Amino acid sequence: MIVQDVINHLEELAPLAYAEDFDNVGLLVGDKNAKVTGILVTLDTLEAVVDEAIAEKCNLIVSFHPIIFKGLKKLTGKNYVERVVMKAIKHDIAIYSIHTALDNALQGVNDMICNTLGLTNKRILIPQSETIKKLTTYVPKDEAEQLRTALFSSGAGTIGNYSNCSFNVEGYGTFNGNDTSNPTKGKKGITHTEAETKITITFPKHLEYKILQTLFKSHSYEEVAYEVTTLENKNQQIGMGMVGELEESMSELDFLSYLKTKMDTKCIRHSSLLNKKIKKVAVLGGSGSFAIEAAKNADADAFITADLKYHDFFTAENSILLADVGHYESEQFTKNLLVAYLTKKITNFAIILSKTNTNPVKYF
Ligand SMILES: [Zn+2]
């Protein structure tokens, strides 16, 4: 197994196409063709984590946060980022970062928080738009069935709980090939009319290359007539944050104690208590102040996130309980999610959960 094989599994869970623009995800250090000796999973790649990888004979570190974020101009070892990268290269250790690709994944960071809190009726809090594409193509009528089947098996035509979705219209196409053409229907130099089916089908944007390859391979025309457009529709399968419901509603104080235990945190900073029951809960692992309005619009009774600033707490406006459980704490179970996922995908292989606590924040 090579590094790229592991990457393929990870990108099936969290395609990099859905990472945020500001982010730096993917293989940050190392050779994608290197043979993997072991995988170490961590939230942050610190020097201690690289040391752990060396001791455990792991030459691939799967890290949630990217160690290289703003770009590197020098490699002299003057700060921890440079030292980590230098040490990894020196020991032939590859580093892969999944970060916001996993934040935006349906079975990602926030699903894990929902499961930890026992939330049901889950849905994405801020669904992404412009991630669904639409393919329209024109195919000889007698080839339509075969082309549809090929497109379906490449991942097109899935909408929510429905697969094999397409819309088809019968009509006729016309064309006239020049001297250098080699038409599969009709003769060059003569305008030909062909009974055709117009197929319209949607697909998630990360599959575009695969879908187009399938189209060109399965369509008999020398020049395939097709259009790809991007839809503005919200994609309910991709996006930041989640909202779900507790099985039983709780008083605010009971909920905060429950949260403290479940999220294994020493400190929760929260907005004013509103003296109402908590049932609907929005969550967003990591820095989530940008999603306060979305949580309020979703009618959540509480919003669980991290890195809230003084002024953010005012925006609760007596309508929601904001709770900051700590950045590390909100994302800590992501490591377990990645280990469980990779263990299921890659059997009989060393996939190790890092023992290093990388939380830079201490409580007194
Ligand atoms: Zn984070």
Side-chain angles (χ1 to χ4, degrees):
M1 185 174 62
I2 60 169
V3 170
Q4 186 61 49
D5 296 326
V6 182
I7 293 177
N8 292 345
H9 287 305
L10 291 168
E11 291 188 6
E12 214 178 292
L13 171 72
L16 298 187
Y18 305 122
E20 297 294 318
D21 291 338
F22 63 78
D23 207 0
N24 189 32
V25 288
L27 188 63
L28 305 184
V29 174
D31 176 5
K32 66 180 176 18
N33 295 311
K35 200 166 170 253
V36 181
T37 57
I39 304 168
L40 186 73
V41 177
T42 181
L43 209 60
D44 304 278
T45 319
L46 303 182
E47 272 187 284
V49 174
V50 181
D51 288 336
E52 200 181 345
I54 296 166
E56 298 282 3
K57 297 188 170 44
C58 294
N59 66 345
L60 173 60
I61 295 173
V62 174
S63 179
F64 180 65
H65 291 124
I67 180 68
I68 305 170
F69 195 63
K70 296 179 195 151
L72 284 173
K73 288 197 170 178
K74 289 174 185 155
L75 271 178
T76 58
K78 97 178 171 310
N79 59 43
Y80 81 98
V81 175
E82 293 180 13
R83 287 194 296 276
V84 165
V85 173
M86 286 168 73
K87 190 175 257 187
I89 293 171
K90 217 185 248 174
H91 293 270
D92 277 328
I93 291 172
I95 304 172
Y96 181 91
S97 161
I98 199 164
H99 205 207
T100 56
L102 193 60
D103 281 320
N104 281 315
L106 190 60
Q107 260 125 31
V109 177
N110 298 301
D111 184 56
M112 192 69 184
I113 300 175
C114 287
N115 295 345
T116 305
L117 295 179
L119 304 182
T120 54
N121 298 330
K122 298 173 284 184
R123 64 173 176 81
I124 299 269
L125 181 62
I126 308 174
Q128 272 191 12
S129 53
E130 298 184 0
T131 59
I132 304 172
K133 297 214 169 205
K134 187 171 82 176
L135 169 70
T136 304
T137 187
Y138 308 83
V139 64
K141 201 177 147 190
D142 54 358
E143 293 173 18
E145 180 66 41
Q146 178 220 331
L147 177 60
R148 267 193 305 268
T149 308
L151 292 170
F152 292 151
S153 46
S154 295
T158 297
I159 303 174
N161 292 327
Y162 296 82
S163 60
N164 298 9
C165 305
S166 70
F167 189 77
N168 303 270
V169 186
E170 312 262 292
Y172 61 90
T174 63
F175 47 84
N176 185 335
N178 66 14
D179 282 350
T180 46
S181 70
N182 184 22
T184 50
K185 302 274 184 185
K187 288 196 168 62
K188 58 183 163 188
I190 299 168
T191 299
H192 178 76
T193 301
E194 180 71 25
E196 291 180 345
T197 304
K198 175 182 171 182
I199 304 175
T200 306
I201 195 164
T202 59
F203 61 88
K205 76 168 182 183
H206 72 283
L207 294 179
E208 182 164 351
Y209 179 78
K210 191 177 169 192
I211 300 288
L212 289 182
Q213 291 308 305
T214 302
L215 171 67
F216 301 144
K217 227 171 64 197
S218 312
H219 199 299
S220 70
Y221 282 179
E222 191 178 29
E223 289 294 341
V224 177
Y226 74 98
E227 299 138 29
V228 174
T229 50
T230 301
L231 303 185
E232 287 184 17
N233 301 35
K234 301 269 185 218
N235 188 340
Q236 305 297 334
Q237 313 279 311
I238 304 280
M240 283 281 177
M242 267 194 162
V243 58
E245 285 173 17
L246 292 165
E247 208 146 299
E248 301 278 339
S249 56
M250 292 184 197
S251 73
E252 288 162 308
L253 284 177
D254 285 348
F255 176 70
L256 288 172
S257 314
Y258 177 77
L259 194 58
K260 201 168 178 180
T261 312
K262 290 286 180 184
M263 296 308 291
D264 192 19
T265 181
K266 291 197 172 63
C267 169
I268 297 177
R269 297 185 311 133
H270 63 87
S271 59
S272 306
L273 299 181
L274 305 170
N275 204 17
K276 67 174 195 180
K277 292 276 187 190
I278 304 293
K279 171 85 174 160
K280 200 175 204 186
V281 179
V283 306
L284 196 147
S287 308
S289 59
F290 68 91
I292 294 173
E293 284 310 307
K296 282 158 78 175
N297 291 339
D299 280 328
D301 303 310
F303 178 42
I304 317 311
T305 188
D307 294 349
L308 293 182
K309 291 184 185 159
Y310 177 79
H311 291 281
D312 294 328
F313 288 98
F314 287 118
T315 65
E317 295 264 27
N318 294 329
S319 71
I320 194 167
L321 175 67
L322 300 177
D324 182 334
V325 295
H327 194 125
Y328 177 89
E329 289 80 0
S330 71
E331 295 173 335
Q332 61 187 316
F333 305 114
T334 305
K335 290 180 290 181
N336 306 66
L337 180 161
L338 287 168
V339 169
Y341 174 79
L342 288 173
T343 307
K344 211 166 80 186
K345 290 280 172 184
I346 311 165
T347 46
N348 302 323
F349 199 81
I351 295 152
I352 298 168
L353 181 68
S354 167
K355 290 180 194 75
T356 312
N357 182 325
T358 59
N359 192 356
V361 180
K362 308 294 171 198
Y363 301 99
F364 180 69

